[in-house]
Amino acid sequence: MAGLVDGKIALVTGAASGIGRAAALAFAREGARVVVSDVDREGGEAAAEAIRKEGGESVFLACDVSSDAEVGTLVRTTVERFGRLDCALNNAGVATQGGLLHQITLEEWERTLAVNLTGVFHCLRHEIPVMVEQGGGAIVNTSSGAGVVAAPMLAHYAATKHGVLGLTKTAAQENARSGVRVNAILPGVVDTPMLRRHMAKSPVIEQGIQAAAIRGTLGRPEEVAEAAVWLCSDRASLVSGTSLILDAGAIGR
């Protein structure tokens, strides 16, 4: 049987580790040729090599999504190499130190917005025209459970993830007749290196995160990856502008 995205070209940002890496591998297993992208060259190359070892086709392209020029080069190089761009998971993100809203530094605020929100804007700005010209495509943006509820001590992070949903819904409606679908995934507490680093900041933070895992265990990156691949597949042909919460029911909305 053909895979969910058999023969498609997929681009994944933030693919050196965590959800992005799991998604890149999942796209490949489901038949796509995958462009792995990240600022982490070593981790990105390792992810691309892991795909090749499993028999898939993958290339690593370094990119800092906070740079519009770099994103433009990333998308252009993808099309030059593979001829088209069918699927994109705009997943690159950061989580800085945080604290009470009035304690967050301007530097933390600006860095978080540059990657988590403006970075998604850059990706959409360059991906959508390519997909419109070729007659269609599917884009998934990584938001967070913090995109629909408050996130105490992480106001800057929550603001960006709320903003990603605004971009997603708007892009979906603007492209409803172009054949380009745009959706968002909203992971809850998922066992990624980024989450582990956040948990290590204090026992209180770790306890809060563990309490949010209402099924008793943290989510796995592979579970989130499956949802992203499905949203990019033709089986999700009627799904656009959706915010898919992946948290085992923790938020319950």
Side-chain angles (χ1 to χ4, degrees):
M1 294 179 64
L4 282 174
V5 287
D6 199 45
K8 295 183 183 294
I9 308 302
L11 167 63
V12 182
T13 67
S17 64
I19 292 169
R21 187 180 193 278
L25 288 163
F27 273 111
R29 282 194 297 269
E30 292 293 340
R33 287 176 286 174
V34 184
V35 175
V36 170
S37 184
D38 206 291
V39 292
D40 177 0
R41 292 175 177 270
E42 183 177 352
E45 290 282 12
E49 179 60 23
I51 290 172
R52 292 191 289 267
K53 284 183 178 179
E54 290 188 2
E57 184 176 348
S58 181
V59 62
F60 169 70
L61 297 176
C63 178
D64 179 352
V65 298
S66 70
S67 166
D68 185 68
E70 289 193 26
V71 174
T73 299
L74 171 65
V75 173
R76 185 169 57 255
T77 303
T78 297
V79 175
E80 289 172 353
R81 177 151 186 156
F82 294 105
R84 57 189 295 114
L85 174 61
D86 302 295
C87 313
L89 174 59
N90 299 325
N91 174 75
V94 295
T96 58
Q97 181 65 32
L100 296 173
L101 190 150
H102 62 277
Q103 296 172 331
I104 294 170
T105 67
L106 184 58
E107 181 182 8
E108 285 181 295
W109 173 263
E110 291 180 341
R111 174 61 179 162
T112 305
L113 261 68
V115 177
N116 292 5
L117 184 57
T118 306
V120 172
F121 167 73
H122 290 158
C123 289
L124 291 169
R125 199 172 84 81
H126 291 284
E127 293 159 355
I128 289 172
V130 170
M131 292 182 176
V132 169
E133 184 177 355
Q134 70 191 19
I139 298 171
V140 175
N141 300 319
T142 300
S143 179
S144 165
V148 290
V149 295
M153 309 297 285
L154 290 171
H156 52 338
Y157 182 80
T160 63
K161 294 305 184 178
H162 276 71
V164 166
L165 298 186
L167 290 177
T168 299
K169 294 172 186 177
T170 301
Q173 290 200 355
E174 289 179 350
N175 290 280
R177 298 194 178 199
S178 73
V180 180
R181 296 184 297 105
V182 188
N183 291 289
I185 50 173
L186 287 68
V189 285
V190 179
D191 194 358
T192 65
M194 182 184 291
L195 185 74
R196 288 288 175 180
R197 288 192 295 270
H198 187 55
M199 290 170 64
K201 292 175 183 176
S202 79
V204 173
I205 291 176
E206 180 175 2
Q207 290 168 9
I209 289 173
Q210 294 290 358
I214 64 169
R215 69 177 181 182
T217 59
L218 297 175
R220 294 181 293 107
E222 293 77 12
E223 293 176 296
V224 179
E226 292 294 334
V229 173
W230 177 79
L231 284 170
C232 283
S233 77
D234 294 339
R235 304 227 184 141
S237 58
L238 197 60
V239 185
S240 195
T242 290
S243 303
L244 182 58
I245 300 174
L246 305 167
D247 68 354
I251 292 175
R253 56 175 295 173

